[in-house]
Amino acid sequence: TEIYYNSCGLSDKEGISDIYFNNDTSIIASLYKRQLDHFDIDFNRHASIRTTTMDSYCEENHINKVDLLKIVVEGSEYNVLLGAGKMMSEGRIQMIQFGFGGTAIDSRHFFRDYWNLFRLYKYDVYRIMKDGLIRMEHYDEGFELYHYINFLAVYAGE
């Protein structure tokens, strides 16, 4: 197993982006200037970072297959997935774990966006529960819950 450490962020495009945070040790830094006043958190600081796509990163580092991609990027999960379109369409990412919740409000994404993307690339979607996985058979508006929920997408193949 190889682990790569890098000084860049994954997104849907390559370039320079601002990352926003509330303090130097923030664990909730985001490419979105989140509105968290109701938690008394002010994203009043920012810095510029380099972003790349998962597809470009894998190509540059000669990574042909990813067994598990865990995405924890405070609202940019959907953008990371868009940047992995080639890898996903070719079935070269076997499983993807991601969270969906309040950060999707700031990024303006619906669970339906994720659902449609995973269906396009032939992934089955499971909700991760404390007792195991629940396969999601269809999309429903009731899934648009902005409480933090973890999901697993598994490549189902042709």
Side-chain angles (χ1 to χ4, degrees):
T1 300
E2 295 184 55
I3 299 174
Y4 295 82
Y5 296 95
N6 304 280
S7 58
C8 68
L10 291 178
S11 190
D12 59 336
K13 59 184 178 276
E14 297 184 37
I16 303 297
S17 296
D18 282 336
I19 189 166
Y20 299 91
F21 50 95
N22 57 323
N23 61 52
D24 289 338
T25 60
S26 180
I27 61 171
I28 57 173
S30 176
L31 293 180
Y32 292 93
K33 187 167 176 37
R34 299 191 60 210
Q35 296 178 1
L36 298 174
D37 301 347
H38 53 288
F39 290 120
D40 208 21
I41 298 173
D42 185 7
F43 268 47
N44 56 355
R45 305 182 70 187
H46 66 91
S48 295
I49 64 165
R50 181 176 72 89
T51 59
T52 189
T53 67
M54 181 74 177
D55 288 336
S56 294
Y57 181 84
C58 289
E59 185 175 324
E60 290 168 12
N61 290 283
H62 309 288
I63 299 169
N64 293 318
K65 181 182 173 196
V66 175
D67 294 320
L68 174 63
L69 174 63
K70 182 174 181 176
I71 307 172
V72 183
V73 290
E74 300 300 319
S76 294
E77 291 81 0
Y78 189 74
N79 293 347
V80 171
L81 293 170
L82 290 177
K86 183 174 190 240
M87 292 284 292
M88 291 173 65
S89 69
E90 295 173 359
R92 296 195 293 144
I93 303 176
Q94 294 302 300
M95 294 181 287
I96 302 168
Q97 182 184 345
F98 68 102
F100 180 83
T103 56
I105 295 170
D106 296 298
S107 66
R108 306 289 195 258
H109 288 110
F110 295 104
F111 184 75
R112 180 182 60 198
D113 300 323
Y114 291 85
W115 178 263
N116 290 337
L117 189 69
F118 284 124
R119 299 318 289 175
L120 173 68
Y121 292 129
K122 300 182 174 103
Y123 282 78
D124 290 331
V125 180
Y126 299 83
R127 184 170 173 181
I128 300 173
M129 306 294 285
K130 68 178 181 175
D131 298 329
L133 301 174
I134 296 175
R135 185 167 189 259
M136 303 183 74
E137 301 289 337
H138 63 280
Y139 171 79
D140 186 282
E141 287 88 2
F143 299 155
E144 301 296 345
L145 301 172
Y146 292 96
H147 302 280
Y148 292 96
I149 301 170
N150 282 297
F151 292 94
L152 182 68
V154 179
Y155 183 66
E158 306 299 318

